[in-house]
Amino acid sequence: MGTTRKFKIWRGDSQGGDFKEYDVEVDPGMVVLDVLHRVQSRQANDLAIRWNCKAGKCGSCSMEINGRPRLSCMTRMNAFGADETLTVQPLKTFPVIKDLVTDVSWNYRQNKRIRPLKPKPRGADGEHRMYQEDVDRVQEFRKCIECYLCQDTCHVLRDRGGQDQFVGPRFMIRLASLEMHPLDDDDRIPEIRKEFGSGMCNITRCCTEVCPEHINITDNGIIPLKERVVDRYFDPIVFMGQKLFGISKRR
Amino acid sequence: MLDISELKTVETDVVVVGAGGAGLRAAIESSAQGMKTVVLSKSLLGKAHTVMAEGGLAASLGNTDKRDNWKVHFRDTMRGGKFLNLWRMAELHAKQAPARVRELEEWGAVFDRTKEGLISQRNFGGHRYPRLAHVGDRTGLELIRTLQDHGVHQGIDFLMECTALSLLKDGERVAGVLAYYRETGRFVLLKARAVVLATGGGGKAWRVTSNSWEYTGDGVYLAYEAGAELMDLEFTQFHPTGMVWPLSVRGILVTEGVRGDGGILLNKEGKRFMFDYVPPRFAAETADTVDEATRWLNGDKNARRPPELLTRDVVARSIRAEVKAGRGSPHGGAFLDIASRRPADFIKRRLPGMYHQFMELAEVDITTEPMEVGPTLHYFMGGIRVDADTQMTRVPGLFACGECGAGMHGANRLGGNSLSDLIVFGRLAGKCAAEYARSLSSTPQADAERVKLAVRGATEILNRESGENPYLLHEKLQDVMEEGVGIVREEEDLKKGVLGIEELKERAKNMKAHGTSQYNPGWHEALSMRSMLVTAEAVARAALIRQESRGAHTRADYEGERDEWVKYNIVSRKGADGNMEVEKVLRPAPVKYLEEIANSKIEDLEAGKIGADAPND
């Protein structure tokens, strides 16, 4: 049943490392994470991998497989040619801790910078009324499993070292989920522009492509935020209104 | 010799072990009560097993059906639990769940809505009314993300990828936690006044489970070693339909909705075998011919329900019997077929998650091919024994909540009652831990010897020259549990299971992890083995004692519920000789109004003839 497959797995830590080759017995139906577990239990007990649910729901096992950011639990072996060597390495955008595990704490710090929901008061009957058609968009963004594949692939974060200027796609859609939340009573547009760097995104849509939850990050999240920023700061009528009468417009 | 003054030390009021729904809710409450709170998260924040919950949170909001209220929810819960639940816990849960759900909305949760713009509620097994607040089939993700995003602004310290190794004591009372950071392998001593355990279940001791790697029974182990008691461990819920193939997805859940929408179970001979397994007590309500079952599916109100929709324990047992008789599917399960029963567009519309799951992970198109399914270990009803009103164990200052606690669900849990359990009892544990911490006049002092022992116990695994491979021991434990302590249990098998566990306990004393302590999964696996072995032993020994079949606990040699046994919980603890003591403990009598509600005719309850005098808070 099983066939032997070649794997090149990056082994190392923050000081450096290299690819090591492993020959692994692969059974039909396996995903890449299964193969890595087999290497771990049979050949390299200390191979560091981060994973949890193994069902595409928690977003822990992100890595780069043959150069592409992927969830290893959702990447089937038969997606590759029978003789193809698989190259597996840690996410490039974040510092390596060990082997396939990276330090993603920067993302948690960005999340903490975002102010929580500021809910409007409840109605007279004690209820919050929101209609399904008004929350569909927000629910799409809330499907995010925080795998950070979008952060890994984002050019601003990956190649241009823009981590002090841009929070990245993950947190743009988190901001969008608050900005478009029917109950949120906060004004987030100024900081979306200034602090979180909405202008840095140049809409290459690479983040949308790698999203395992198929969230339309760019079109449904980032672009509408950019439009709201433009409306606020670059619409001459609004601009005059703000200057002359102190009118603050949102939504 | 280790000098513990060299260990990194953190002083706080309350430590919460676990960052799933229960742990986060406990921490939020403890912090809100003004206590300095630290959360230990074995994984990254937001990745805990709670994310895998799908169906929803049960709470009698009454948005979809106004007749719903806490009394009906309570009654459903007791009946589902076969009357073995702690009455007071089931009461508190039913009463407080609606407020906890509304609070989530305040913190940003976006549930699916009714036409009137309220939180929508869906039907589920055992719940009389549509009661589950939900977000599609990803309610667990919504819950954990909401608590996480709210929690990070409450001044709580989150230690991520930090694993608890031992509870520290000052005499009888708890004094903190010894833990280690995965990233560096360094130990950290958390000195605290109170500790809340919220570590989830222990399904990883079985091979086929819907549980993630974190579910190794850590809380059960920590509490047991610290002198707390365990209860109801024999009740482990096996869901009848988990995926069995490919390897990569073995155990992942296949929703009951497949059968609800017409799916049938077939053996390898193509026979629809469930007709052969209808228990006498259900016979009157179950179709006895294929023709009648088909008429039911087509909406004939006079036809009885197909046998595939019998209770979970019955279906799971039947699949197992077919496999044992050599009539299983190629990978040791049964075929679940909906393709020949429903058109493709119907399946895609009603079961999008299942369609996607099988397509991506098994390359099976469920609109044209049958699925292969078999029972999968899903949930622990039992766990750490706590006081219903405070969630405190018998160790002063030690609390437990969520799946690692016992009592709420009795012998069997209703779907939807776990997520609501997390937020109701998470909050209660956090509140009571904070009150306890405040009541102490001084911080307890951790017993230094205990710290040293715990450190030595962990580092030995790295330091010894050679020894057992922890991964292979884990596989062996999974074999023992599958064979001896599976879905249908018998005295002989259980005894073999206990012996198997005893043997593995010996071998585990000599585990070896290679490499350094830095982010070393082999070492971590070895440390988890200790938790799994204690948990597995408690399950096996309790299962051996309970000589009846009740809820999720099925004994082939003691069929059916026995009236005698509803009077007892099975409690285990670490004895003075270091061995596990297990005993039957008489249950206290319930208060009168609860007993009346639970036993009432539903018509009388709804008409207000019963339970009118029950307090509503």
Side-chain angles (χ1 to χ4, degrees), chain A residues 34 51 54 57 76 142, chain B residues 47 54 142 213 248 361:
Chain A
D34 292 317
W51 69 286
K54 234 175 89 41
K57 290 178 180 168
R76 290 172 56 84
R142 292 182 69 86
Chain B
K47 309 298 185 191
E54 293 173 359
E142 188 71 16
W213 75 271
S248 62
L361 292 172

Side-chain angles (χ1 to χ4, degrees), chain B residues 21 43 70 87 94 143 147 185 206 225 237 333 352 501 612:
Chain B
S43 294
W70 76 262
W87 296 77
L143 175 64
L147 294 173
W206 283 260
E225 292 291 336
Q237 186 173 71
I501 294 164

Side-chain angles (χ1 to χ4, degrees), chain B residues 44-299:
Chain B
L44 294 176
L45 196 54
K47 309 298 185 191
H49 202 269
T50 304
V51 300
M52 295 179 78
E54 293 173 359
L57 295 119
S60 58
L61 297 163
N63 288 350
T64 307
D65 192 318
K66 296 224 177 308
R67 289 173 296 177
D68 203 8
N69 60 50
W70 76 262
K71 293 169 200 165
V72 187
H73 190 182
F74 166 77
R75 180 179 179 275
D76 290 343
T77 300
M78 291 302 297
R79 292 164 68 89
K82 315 293 181 209
F83 288 82
L84 213 64
N85 323 52
L86 286 190
W87 296 77
R88 177 65 174 155
M89 274 180 89
E91 178 191 13
L92 288 171
H93 169 260
K95 284 179 172 173
Q96 296 182 5
R100 299 282 77 76
V101 172
R102 291 203 173 91
E103 177 178 78
L104 290 176
E105 202 171 38
E106 208 72 19
W107 296 345
V110 185
F111 293 105
D112 288 348
R113 318 305 296 180
T114 65
K115 282 202 291 288
E116 295 74 35
L118 302 175
I119 295 172
S120 169
Q121 296 183 270
R122 66 160 48 127
N123 274 308
F124 234 62
H127 293 284
R128 182 161 174 84
Y129 298 116
R131 190 176 280 148
L132 272 64
H134 57 94
V135 186
D137 58 2
R138 58 160 188 87
T139 314
L141 173 66
E142 188 71 16
L143 175 64
I144 203 161
R145 198 66 81 233
T146 300
L147 294 173
Q148 172 189 350
D149 288 342
H150 179 73
V152 296
H153 295 286
Q154 308 307 310
I156 301 162
D157 278 329
F158 292 97
L159 307 186
M160 296 202 290
E161 297 193 317
C162 189
T163 303
L165 292 172
S166 181
L167 292 174
L168 308 174
K169 304 266 300 270
D170 177 350
E172 282 306 300
R173 53 184 187 163
V174 84
V177 182
L178 178 78
Y180 92 96
Y181 291 104
R182 285 195 104 186
E183 180 173 345
T184 56
R186 295 235 171 86
F187 295 100
V188 53
L189 184 59
L190 294 135
K191 295 185 173 176
R193 294 169 168 232
V195 174
V196 180
L197 297 173
T199 56
K204 271 295 169 190
W206 283 260
R207 191 175 341 112
V208 181
T209 174
S210 61
N211 291 176
S212 80
W213 75 271
E214 294 197 291
Y215 264 37
T216 50
D218 294 4
V220 164
Y221 164 75
L222 294 168
Y224 172 83
E225 292 291 336
E229 290 179 324
L230 312 177
M231 190 174 87
D232 292 344
L233 264 294
E234 68 274 29
F235 298 110
T236 52
Q237 186 173 71
F238 289 85
H239 195 289
T241 60
M243 295 174 81
V244 294
W245 190 88
L247 273 181
S248 62
V249 291
R250 180 173 279 184
I252 291 185
L253 215 60
V254 179
T255 176
E256 212 159 300
V258 176
R259 281 170 287 140
D261 282 340
I264 55 171
L265 289 162
L266 303 168
N267 66 18
K268 74 171 182 190
E269 292 153 8
K271 182 177 176 191
R272 193 167 165 187
F273 58 83
M274 280 307 299
F275 286 103
D276 300 343
Y277 293 96
V278 182
R281 71 194 283 191
F282 291 108
E285 298 152 39
T286 308
D288 54 10
T289 62
V290 171
D291 174 61
E292 185 179 3
T294 305
R295 281 190 285 117
W296 178 88
L297 187 62
N298 294 333

